[in-house]
């Protein structure tokens, strides 16, 4: 089958050809014909060697939507049938460790990510366990479908982890990024007041109540907007560049939550200010299958912005586009039209 595949790490070693075998599905697996895939930093890390992958040669691709081609004989999910439109929860999990038993399958002690510890979806087909397959409504567009398992689930889980409450104020850095725009939409649904840090006024279309376009002015403007209380929750998926600003903008009993560090991961912290204000620092990753169901149930109210789409043959260009300065929305690969 056609796939984007590499034998040795490095973007230049990635090729697209017919050398990969069509995956064999076991009795408990579902074979999915891939339609549209989202392109995320994790895919770049997998190809560049920043994340160790298996097997080799390797097919990357962590955010996958498609159509069920075949169902294993012992598949228990009786709501799945051939021809269904589906998305794939991108976590490998054993279902038996203490994390899995607690419902935290994304933290499985023996797991990992599809597209990293297994072959991914930059290919015509992928076979995955039935428990990873979620049926989506027939009328859902593929662009949104290919944005639910990572881009949408991650900020939803982060806001849940931060226990964002009605009437609280949320400060979002990287607000015009893909996860940022989803965070804004969820925060509004949760009844919070959203302050977005972005140069792009368009974040208002996604529900931001206030937009701050200058990092230098964030602390002062948050003080003004919150009448001195400062933010209850700060979402910083940007990393070190927004760290000090995040920390200076958080109020008493506030929560700073992070799931990304594109601008760098090493930050300084004043522990005294942390405990005196009783601030909680929260690291968040992925999301649970239950939360993916939650996200699916709200999906008809969610908006996604697509910036560029590529063919499977252009996977390398799609991965490079992640770092384009003018990136403004999602990068997708249309596998079925390649
Ligand atoms: Zn587990």
């Amino acid at each position: 089958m056609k796939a984007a595949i590499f034998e040795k790490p490095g973007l230049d070693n990635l090729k697209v050809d017919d050398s990969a075998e069509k995956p064999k599905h076991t009795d408990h697996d579902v074979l999915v014909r891939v339609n549209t895939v989202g392109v995320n930093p994790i895919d770049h890390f997998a190809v560049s060697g920043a994340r160790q992958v298996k097997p080799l040669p390797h097919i990357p691709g962590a955010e996958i939507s498609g159509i069920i081609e075949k169902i294993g004989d012992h598949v228990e999910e009786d709501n799945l049938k051939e021809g269904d439109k589906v998305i794939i929860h991108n976590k490998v999990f054993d279902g038996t460790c203490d994390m899995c038993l607690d419902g935290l399958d994304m933290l499985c002690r023996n797991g990992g990510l599809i597209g990293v510890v297994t072959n991914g979806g930059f290919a015509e087909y992928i076979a995955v366990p039935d428990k990873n397959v979620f049926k989506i409504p027939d009328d859902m567009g593929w662009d949104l479908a290919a944005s639910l398992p990572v881009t949408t689930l991650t900020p939803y889980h982060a806001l849940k982890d931060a226990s964002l409450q009605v009437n609280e104020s949320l400060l979002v850095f990287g607000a015009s990024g893909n996860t940022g725009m989803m965070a804004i939409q969820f925060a509004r649904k949760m009844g919070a007041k959203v302050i977005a840090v972005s140069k792009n006024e368009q974040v208002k279309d996604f529900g931001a109540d206030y937009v701050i376009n200058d990092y230098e002015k964030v602390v002062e403007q948050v003080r003004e907007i919150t009448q001195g209380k400062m933010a209850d929750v700060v979402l910083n998926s940007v990393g070190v560049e927004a760290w000090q600003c995040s920390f200076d903008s958080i109020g008493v009993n506030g929560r700073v939550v992070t799931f990304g560090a594109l601008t760098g991961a090493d930050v300084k912290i004043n522990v005294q200010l942390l405990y005196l204000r009783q601030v909680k620092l929260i690291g968040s990753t992925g999301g649970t299958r239950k939360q993916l169901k939650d996200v699916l149930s709200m999906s008809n109210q969610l908006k996604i912005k697509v910036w560029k789409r590529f063919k499977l043959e252009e996977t390398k260009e799609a991965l490079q586009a992640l770092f384009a300065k003018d990136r403004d929305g999602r990068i997708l690969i249309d596998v079925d039209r390649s």
Side-chain angles (χ1 to χ4, degrees), residues 93-101 105 107-111:
F93 60 99
D94 59 12
T96 56
C97 76
D98 54 342
M99 290 295 125
C100 285
L101 291 178
D105 48 79
L107 298 178
C108 178
R109 294 187 191 273
N110 305 304

mmCIF file of all heavy atoms in Angstrom, residues 93-101 105 107-111, ligand 1:
data_model
loop_
_atom_site.group_PDB
_atom_site.id
_atom_site.type_symbol
_atom_site.label_atom_id
_atom_site.label_comp_id
_atom_site.label_asym_id
_atom_site.label_seq_id
_atom_site.Cartn_x
_atom_site.Cartn_y
_atom_site.Cartn_z
ATOM 1 N N PHE A 93 -2.652 1.074 24.719
ATOM 2 C CA PHE A 93 -2.779 0.835 26.164
ATOM 3 C C PHE A 93 -3.166 -0.622 26.409
ATOM 4 O O PHE A 93 -3.812 -1.247 25.572
ATOM 5 C CB PHE A 93 -3.804 1.799 26.782
ATOM 6 C CG PHE A 93 -5.185 1.683 26.210
ATOM 7 C CD1 PHE A 93 -6.166 0.957 26.869
ATOM 8 C CD2 PHE A 93 -5.501 2.286 25.004
ATOM 9 C CE1 PHE A 93 -7.446 0.845 26.334
ATOM 10 C CE2 PHE A 93 -6.774 2.161 24.454
ATOM 11 C CZ PHE A 93 -7.741 1.458 25.120
ATOM 12 N N ASP A 94 -2.753 -1.136 27.582
ATOM 13 C CA ASP A 94 -2.988 -2.559 27.839
ATOM 14 C C ASP A 94 -4.317 -2.825 28.548
ATOM 15 O O ASP A 94 -4.802 -3.955 28.579
ATOM 16 C CB ASP A 94 -1.813 -3.159 28.636
ATOM 17 C CG ASP A 94 -1.591 -2.460 29.976
ATOM 18 O OD1 ASP A 94 -2.473 -1.670 30.398
ATOM 19 O OD2 ASP A 94 -0.540 -2.695 30.605
ATOM 20 N N GLY A 95 -4.891 -1.784 29.152
ATOM 21 C CA GLY A 95 -6.176 -1.971 29.841
ATOM 22 C C GLY A 95 -6.069 -2.668 31.183
ATOM 23 O O GLY A 95 -7.077 -2.897 31.852
ATOM 24 N N THR A 96 -4.841 -2.998 31.610
ATOM 25 C CA THR A 96 -4.699 -3.784 32.853
ATOM 26 C C THR A 96 -3.835 -3.115 33.920
ATOM 27 O O THR A 96 -3.891 -3.500 35.081
ATOM 28 C CB THR A 96 -4.077 -5.167 32.545
ATOM 29 O OG1 THR A 96 -2.841 -4.962 31.871
ATOM 30 C CG2 THR A 96 -4.996 -5.998 31.674
ATOM 31 N N CYS A 97 -3.014 -2.129 33.560
ATOM 32 C CA CYS A 97 -2.136 -1.516 34.568
ATOM 33 C C CYS A 97 -2.953 -0.578 35.469
ATOM 34 O O CYS A 97 -4.130 -0.323 35.206
ATOM 35 C CB CYS A 97 -0.977 -0.765 33.905
ATOM 36 S SG CYS A 97 -1.442 0.818 33.194
ATOM 37 N N ASP A 98 -2.327 -0.060 36.528
ATOM 38 C CA ASP A 98 -3.079 0.784 37.474
ATOM 39 C C ASP A 98 -3.623 2.051 36.817
ATOM 40 O O ASP A 98 -4.724 2.499 37.125
ATOM 41 C CB ASP A 98 -2.221 1.114 38.700
ATOM 42 C CG ASP A 98 -0.875 1.723 38.354
ATOM 43 O OD1 ASP A 98 -0.431 1.602 37.184
ATOM 44 O OD2 ASP A 98 -0.247 2.338 39.239
ATOM 45 N N MET A 99 -2.878 2.637 35.874
ATOM 46 C CA MET A 99 -3.350 3.851 35.195
ATOM 47 C C MET A 99 -4.590 3.539 34.346
ATOM 48 O O MET A 99 -5.578 4.260 34.389
ATOM 49 C CB MET A 99 -2.243 4.418 34.297
ATOM 50 C CG MET A 99 -1.071 5.013 35.046
ATOM 51 S SD MET A 99 -1.538 6.468 36.009
ATOM 52 C CE MET A 99 -0.963 5.996 37.615
ATOM 53 N N CYS A 100 -4.500 2.451 33.584
ATOM 54 C CA CYS A 100 -5.641 2.063 32.739
ATOM 55 C C CYS A 100 -6.870 1.767 33.599
ATOM 56 O O CYS A 100 -7.985 2.175 33.267
ATOM 57 C CB CYS A 100 -5.298 0.843 31.897
ATOM 58 S SG CYS A 100 -4.208 1.212 30.515
ATOM 59 N N LEU A 101 -6.650 1.072 34.726
ATOM 60 C CA LEU A 101 -7.784 0.733 35.589
ATOM 61 C C LEU A 101 -8.434 1.989 36.155
ATOM 62 O O LEU A 101 -9.610 2.007 36.471
ATOM 63 C CB LEU A 101 -7.342 -0.202 36.721
ATOM 64 C CG LEU A 101 -6.945 -1.614 36.278
ATOM 65 C CD1 LEU A 101 -6.470 -2.435 37.466
ATOM 66 C CD2 LEU A 101 -8.095 -2.324 35.572
ATOM 67 N N ASP A 105 -5.973 5.880 30.298
ATOM 68 C CA ASP A 105 -5.290 5.034 29.315
ATOM 69 C C ASP A 105 -4.123 5.738 28.632
ATOM 70 O O ASP A 105 -3.182 5.100 28.183
ATOM 71 C CB ASP A 105 -6.279 4.474 28.298
ATOM 72 C CG ASP A 105 -7.191 5.527 27.739
ATOM 73 O OD1 ASP A 105 -6.747 6.255 26.853
ATOM 74 O OD2 ASP A 105 -8.356 5.624 28.190
ATOM 75 N N LEU A 107 -1.909 7.334 30.004
ATOM 76 C CA LEU A 107 -0.722 7.230 30.863
ATOM 77 C C LEU A 107 -0.326 5.774 31.084
ATOM 78 O O LEU A 107 0.486 5.473 31.970
ATOM 79 C CB LEU A 107 -0.999 7.899 32.226
ATOM 80 C CG LEU A 107 -1.319 9.392 32.187
ATOM 81 C CD1 LEU A 107 -1.617 9.905 33.595
ATOM 82 C CD2 LEU A 107 -0.183 10.186 31.581
ATOM 83 N N CYS A 108 -0.875 4.874 30.295
ATOM 84 C CA CYS A 108 -0.605 3.441 30.451
ATOM 85 C C CYS A 108 0.893 3.180 30.621
ATOM 86 O O CYS A 108 1.715 3.683 29.861
ATOM 87 C CB CYS A 108 -1.122 2.667 29.239
ATOM 88 S SG CYS A 108 -0.748 0.909 29.359
ATOM 89 N N ARG A 109 1.207 2.387 31.640
ATOM 90 C CA ARG A 109 2.628 2.118 31.932
ATOM 91 C C ARG A 109 3.278 1.255 30.861
ATOM 92 O O ARG A 109 4.495 1.187 30.779
ATOM 93 C CB ARG A 109 2.755 1.448 33.300
ATOM 94 C CG ARG A 109 2.337 2.393 34.418
ATOM 95 C CD ARG A 109 2.620 1.827 35.783
ATOM 96 N NE ARG A 109 1.984 2.631 36.811
ATOM 97 C CZ ARG A 109 2.527 3.709 37.377
ATOM 98 N NH1 ARG A 109 3.714 4.122 36.997
ATOM 99 N NH2 ARG A 109 1.874 4.387 38.294
ATOM 100 N N ASN A 110 2.481 0.582 30.065
ATOM 101 C CA ASN A 110 3.031 -0.266 29.003
ATOM 102 C C ASN A 110 2.587 0.221 27.629
ATOM 103 O O ASN A 110 2.525 -0.551 26.683
ATOM 104 C CB ASN A 110 2.577 -1.706 29.215
ATOM 105 C CG ASN A 110 2.954 -2.191 30.594
ATOM 106 O OD1 ASN A 110 4.117 -2.150 30.965
ATOM 107 N ND2 ASN A 110 1.967 -2.591 31.383
ATOM 108 N N GLY A 111 2.233 1.508 27.547
ATOM 109 C CA GLY A 111 1.648 2.017 26.303
ATOM 110 C C GLY A 111 2.512 3.014 25.566
ATOM 111 O O GLY A 111 3.731 3.047 25.721
HETATM 112 ZN ZN1 LIG B 1 -2.143 0.341 31.070
#
